[in-house]
Amino acid sequence: MPEADHDSRSAPPRHGARAARAGGIAALLVSLLAGPLVGMVWNAAPAAAAELLVFERAGCAWCERFEREIAPVYPHTEEGRLAPLRRVDIGDADAALADLAAPVRYAPTFVLVEDGREVARLPGYAGEAAFWGLLADMTKKLSPTP
């Protein structure tokens, strides 16, 4: 039986082409499906176990004072790292996404939340010195960090 002439430059046998095509399709599917998921996980910010919710109202003079005195430095403090600040309009308490012990009635009201549950509350803002001392007492109620 004569041996078939096989040129190394010619296309691979048909079953090899089919396998290569199937492998390429599988790789494409994996990249299409897994790529966005990896991107979402990679780009996602870590979830904070604790937050300091500040319930505000437009035109509130004490809210504006808090905004001037505390808000700019808060993220750079130990308290800010433990419980990042999140603003909530007092008229939209559902936006708090937390299990509150009672309705919020005064602006500003600061609610320390851990894992979606209220840990402590500070109604009103009496100035910078009072705020930091009261906040320190509130954060002592958080679960210890590892």
Side-chain angles (χ1 to χ4, degrees), residues 33-131:
L33 297 175
L37 293 175
V38 169
M40 286 188 295
V41 171
W42 185 261
N43 294 325
E51 290 182 300
L52 181 64
L53 306 180
V54 56
F55 288 84
E56 303 171 309
R57 174 175 293 145
C60 164
W62 291 102
C63 301
E64 293 169 4
R65 185 172 169 192
F66 168 82
E67 188 64 32
R68 282 190 315 272
E69 294 177 354
I70 305 294
V73 298
Y74 184 81
H76 307 288
T77 65
E78 182 62 26
E79 292 85 355
R81 287 184 283 282
L82 285 172
L85 190 66
R86 184 160 59 93
R87 292 171 171 78
V88 181
D89 185 277
I90 198 165
D92 190 12
D94 290 339
L97 302 174
D99 185 16
L100 300 178
V104 176
R105 302 195 189 286
Y106 306 103
T109 294
F110 304 89
V111 179
L112 184 61
V113 174
E114 184 174 36
D115 296 326
R117 293 196 179 119
E118 181 174 336
V119 172
R121 180 183 294 221
L122 172 59
Y125 176 71
E128 187 174 355
F131 176 81

Side-chain angles (χ1 to χ4, degrees), residues 11-21:
R14 188 149 177 79
H15 68 278
R18 185 177 300 152
R21 190 170 46 244

